[in-house]
Amino acid sequence: MKIPFDPSKSWHKSINGAVAAGNSLWLRVVLPRDFGVTACRLIISEDGKKDVYTDMTWDNTDGIEEWWQTEIHFSEPKLLFYRFQYENSWGKTDIGPAKGSLLGEICSKEKWQLTVYSPDFSTPDWIKGGIIYQIFPDRFCFSGEIKKNIPADRVLRDDWGGLPAYRPDKNGIIRNNDYFCGDFKGIIEKLPYIASLGVNCIYLNPICEAHSNHRYDTADYMKTDVLLGSNEDFSLLCKKAEEFGIYVIIDGVYSHTGADSIYFNKYNRYDSVGAYNDVSSPYLSWYNFGKTKDEYDSWWGIDTLPETNENDHSFSEFITGENGVIDFWLKLGAKGIRLDVADELPDEFLDKVRIAVKRNGSDKYLLGEVWEDASNKISHGGRRRFLQGNQLDSVMNYPFRKAITDFLLNSNAESFMHSVFLITQNYPENALHCMMNHLGTHDTERILSLLSGVSCEGKSRETQAQISISEDSLKKGIRLLKLAMVMNFTLPGVPSIYYGDEAGLTGCKDPFNRKCYPWGNENAEILDFTRELAQLRRNYEVLKNGGFYPISATLGCVAYLRYKEGAKRIFVIINKNPHHITYRLNPDMTEMTAISGGARFGEGVIVPGNGYAILSDY
């Protein structure tokens, strides 16, 4: 029997993927004629509401199969789920997606998702087809400039490339107060190098004044950290980067501040009237205190990071109001904001953030940190609407990272394709093409360590610090890293490079994933391969905003097509098997040529073991 419903086929679903409000959508189910179907219905579910049943009309038959169809119209953005139900002399039977697949299956009560987004939803074109380079500022490049007016409790390192401090002090506290002195002028110095990677966007981890090397404990939202340089130095970086066709986006950390800050001032570092030490503080309403001043809400229970009340009028105006924090940095030269823990921020605040970002120009980029499928995420007590048009442009794409690494480590091709295809179906097209596709970040172990077989989970910092990788394991890791990079650069979205991944940096989790860039000791093999993939993205328009179509996923091999009307197609095959395979091409692909990794042979292509092939039209 043929598949009753396939959401990727226009015959079954007239609009592929998410749908803009105001459009009508045709849905068609295919059923065997000998089922004797007397009625067929579409069942639509929406959170908090009763299911809506819509009768479908009989369309036609070829004597073997028959088709039932219906048209539905959407007036506003929302998240819907749907399935079908047919009726015959044996009763009622549901049709839903098969487990681990989006293909329809008889007797399944599972549901497909339908994201309906605002017809006015648009995202910046400049980021699509580009490459993001993520920099942890303290560890990328030190210009050599002598630092002045440095707080006495900071430890300045003079051993660039040394192991970051990881042991607690004599009081059992991990201070994160060792600095390698990376700065804005160091980044400016390396702009030619960054441009050589095809990068058009630099994402900087926090740059505001803060009293830890990660700087997620903001001390002053309106001032850069003294070790990085001045506000003017940041503005200069943005201007110099634009000369290379590169824009800079910064981390917006609004769910919490530092306890050691102008606003909270727990340790009396500042002359300001902080919320912790004075009930008359103008910042008191920003935080939630209990019966005593030491009972306050903090981010994940970390008392150095007091949580903010984002819906407090004073706080939200300070961040999102006219001439507030967001306006300040965008006017200084930033091209956008990456929102830290976006899923922990309330909808009302996110709405205001978008307004603030976009009033500085529709080309300003608003990226959110969400680790799951952002189209159906539940947090803050309800279903979120991050990608329905009035909040984020897009998100960091953790689902793709998980799909890629799981496939390369476990060879489950079917699971990989389902995970990727699910995102392409759930996300609006504008959000899909500006997702930040990353293999590693400051919050994950280094991708080369992971693919070299290093397990960091459950290990103490002391154990992680002692981990070494054998030469054979490293060679295997590099082979798998190349496959991961091919997928990351050719799937929908914007590939991101976490500084040093392209140079062969290894390391477990924080702080070992935040080591200094190894200037002069880069892995040339990985670096050259990065530049090769960057050139591929420049050469093929289809990788900017082309469609995604899964071709096959089985027996340790995945293959997918990127297509766009009027553009050359890209066909990618990833072979996770240790032996080479000959992949037989579909008839409409036999004229394609291998442009990287594989070799054409007759009506197929030879793909090396643990290798890849990228094909394109002549």
Side-chain angles (χ1 to χ4, degrees):
M1 188 184 79
K2 284 189 177 181
I3 295 168
F5 184 78
D6 180 351
S8 71
K9 299 289 199 309
S10 59
W11 172 253
H12 291 275
K13 182 169 177 274
S14 60
I15 300 175
N16 189 33
V19 178
N23 285 329
S24 294
L25 176 70
W26 280 94
L27 298 172
R28 182 181 285 110
V29 175
V30 178
L31 293 168
R33 182 70 169 160
D34 58 13
F35 272 26
V37 174
T38 56
C40 193
R41 302 174 186 89
L42 167 70
I43 306 173
I44 295 180
S45 305
E46 186 176 352
D47 289 338
K49 297 183 179 181
K50 291 184 178 180
D51 288 352
V52 176
Y53 289 73
T54 301
D55 288 331
M56 303 178 75
T57 58
W58 185 88
D59 181 35
N60 210 334
T61 181
D62 63 0
I64 300 174
E65 297 171 336
E66 61 184 18
W67 309 292
W68 295 78
Q69 65 182 19
T70 190
E71 181 183 23
I72 49 178
H73 183 81
F74 310 100
S75 58
E76 60 184 4
K78 60 179 67 177
L79 187 68
L80 302 174
F81 301 90
Y82 66 98
R83 68 187 192 277
F84 304 96
Q85 185 182 80
Y86 68 85
E87 188 173 348
N88 58 15
S89 58
W90 290 280
K92 299 176 181 178
T93 305
D94 286 329
I95 302 171
K99 187 175 181 180
S101 172
L102 287 179
L103 300 179
E105 182 178 67
I106 302 295
C107 296
S108 169
K109 290 186 177 293
E110 298 297 317
K111 301 170 185 176
W112 288 276
Q113 176 179 313
L114 184 63
T115 306
V116 183
Y117 60 93
S118 169
D120 300 324
F121 185 26
S122 64
T123 54
D125 283 334
W126 65 266
I127 191 66
K128 300 165 188 173
I131 297 172
I132 297 171
Y133 194 76
Q134 181 187 348
I135 293 177
F136 191 80
D138 185 61
R139 310 290 162 80
F140 180 62
C141 183
F142 173 37
S143 67
E145 183 175 78
I146 296 174
K147 308 298 181 181
K148 299 178 181 178
N149 302 316
I150 307 304
D153 54 352
R154 298 191 183 191
V155 177
L156 304 190
R157 303 278 296 265
D158 59 4
D159 58 333
W160 186 266
L163 195 65
Y166 61 92
R167 293 188 176 99
D169 64 14
K170 61 183 180 181
N171 297 315
I173 300 173
I174 296 174
R175 297 289 181 184
N176 293 310
N177 66 339
D178 66 318
Y179 296 80
F180 288 88
C181 300
D183 52 19
F184 295 136
K185 289 183 179 178
I187 299 173
I188 291 172
E189 177 186 323
K190 298 300 182 181
L191 284 173
Y193 166 75
I194 297 172
S196 77
L197 302 175
V199 169
N200 75 333
C201 178
I202 292 173
Y203 153 42
L204 295 177
N205 286 113
I207 60 172
C208 291
E209 179 174 306
H211 301 293
S212 68
N213 51 40
H214 56 70
R215 300 189 174 98
Y216 279 94
D217 52 339
T218 308
D220 187 339
Y221 279 112
M222 296 296 198
K223 183 181 177 184
T224 57
D225 192 81
V226 62
L227 283 175
L228 292 176
S230 65
N231 288 6
E232 292 74 22
D233 290 333
F234 171 73
S235 188
L236 180 63
L237 166 60
C238 294
K239 290 177 181 176
K240 292 293 185 182
E242 284 196 42
E243 293 175 9
F244 288 88
I246 299 170
Y247 295 113
V248 177
I249 66 171
I250 60 172
D251 236 323
V253 186
Y254 308 134
S255 72
H256 52 271
T257 67
D260 193 2
S261 68
I262 291 174
Y263 319 105
F264 203 75
N265 207 17
K266 183 175 183 178
Y267 309 109
N268 293 303
R269 183 188 295 265
Y270 296 95
D271 292 335
S272 66
V273 181
Y276 177 82
N277 40 39
D278 197 323
V279 294
S280 66
S281 170
Y283 310 117
L284 186 68
S285 62
W286 291 17
Y287 305 96
N288 297 312
F289 288 91
K291 294 180 180 179
T292 71
K293 67 179 183 179
D294 287 313
E295 297 175 15
Y296 55 86
D297 292 343
S298 57
W299 187 76
W300 286 43
I302 303 170
D303 65 3
T304 57
L305 301 174
E307 276 192 344
T308 57
N309 179 5
E310 296 90 3
N311 283 336
D312 173 72
H313 178 74
S314 171
F315 179 78
S316 64
E317 275 297 297
F318 178 72
I319 300 296
T320 69
E322 295 279 354
N323 298 313
V325 170
I326 291 175
D327 279 0
F328 180 79
W329 291 104
L330 295 183
K331 288 175 181 177
L332 266 184
K335 193 71 170 181
I337 303 287
R338 177 265 189 187
L339 273 181
D340 186 54
V341 293
D343 55 349
E344 298 180 22
L345 300 171
D347 279 329
E348 297 86 350
F349 182 73
L350 288 179
D351 293 342
K352 293 177 182 179
V353 169
R354 184 173 184 85
I355 290 170
V357 169
K358 298 301 180 178
R359 72 166 162 255
N360 285 276
S362 60
D363 62 337
K364 300 301 186 288
Y365 182 37
L366 181 56
L367 179 74
E369 180 193 13
V370 181
W371 284 54
E372 301 82 12
D373 183 333
S375 68
N376 55 37
K377 169 83 177 184
I378 296 176
S379 65
H380 264 276
R383 190 84 67 175
R384 306 307 299 271
R385 48 183 173 84
F386 300 127
L387 302 181
Q388 291 180 22
N390 295 310
Q391 289 188 352
L392 306 175
D393 284 329
S394 199
V395 291
M396 299 176 71
N397 195 1
Y398 279 93
F400 274 18
R401 178 186 187 269
K402 186 177 188 304
I404 290 170
T405 55
D406 282 355
F407 170 59
L408 294 178
L409 294 174
N410 303 312
S411 302
N412 190 329
E414 295 85 352
S415 177
F416 164 84
M417 195 63 81
H418 174 67
S419 297
V420 171
F421 193 48
L422 192 64
I423 293 295
T424 67
Q425 291 296 297
N426 289 352
Y427 284 20
E429 188 175 14
N430 277 329
L432 187 67
H433 295 308
C434 60
M435 298 184 297
M436 177 181 166
N437 291 350
H438 53 86
L439 297 174
T441 72
H442 62 291
D443 286 326
T444 68
E445 62 271 79
R446 286 281 177 176
I447 184 63
L448 183 54
S449 290
L450 179 65
L451 297 180
S452 296
V454 172
S455 174
C456 306
E457 295 298 331
K459 290 184 170 61
S460 68
R461 284 188 164 199
E462 198 67 45
T463 299
Q464 291 182 53
Q466 305 303 319
I467 288 176
S468 62
I469 304 174
S470 69
E471 186 176 344
D472 286 345
S473 294
L474 193 62
K475 287 180 179 178
K476 175 185 176 184
I478 291 173
R479 286 198 301 272
L480 295 183
L481 176 57
K482 287 183 177 181
L483 300 187
M485 291 171 66
V486 167
M487 290 186 275
N488 202 42
F489 274 68
T490 59
L491 287 169
V494 183
S496 172
I497 303 166
Y498 181 43
Y499 82 101
D501 278 352
E502 81 282 14
L505 271 186
T506 58
C508 276
K509 297 189 176 182
D510 171 20
F512 310 107
N513 56 358
R514 302 172 183 181
K515 293 187 288 190
C516 299
Y517 186 98
W519 296 110
N521 294 294
E522 296 91 341
N523 182 298
E525 181 181 356
I526 303 174
L527 190 53
D528 289 345
F529 193 68
T530 303
R531 289 179 171 135
E532 180 183 333
L533 291 176
Q535 186 63 48
L536 181 76
R537 284 190 67 81
R538 282 193 293 266
N539 291 346
Y540 289 90
E541 175 74 13
V542 71
L543 296 177
K544 175 180 178 180
N545 55 8
F548 171 85
Y549 190 76
I551 300 297
S552 64
T554 187
L555 300 175
C557 178
V558 298
Y560 52 86
L561 183 71
R562 299 296 308 279
Y563 62 92
K564 181 182 177 182
E565 187 175 351
K568 292 182 178 180
R569 297 172 299 169
I570 287 286
F571 181 51
V572 180
I573 308 166
I574 306 293
N575 176 25
K576 182 54 181 59
N577 295 290
H579 54 81
H580 79 271
I581 62 171
T582 300
Y583 190 99
R584 187 177 180 85
L585 298 172
N586 291 345
D588 66 334
M589 297 180 185
T590 55
E591 296 300 316
M592 300 180 93
T593 184
I595 58 174
S596 183
R600 280 300 314 276
F601 179 78
E603 295 183 350
V605 57
I606 299 173
V607 188
N610 284 317
Y612 72 96
I614 303 176
L615 280 66
S616 179
D617 297 308
Y618 284 108

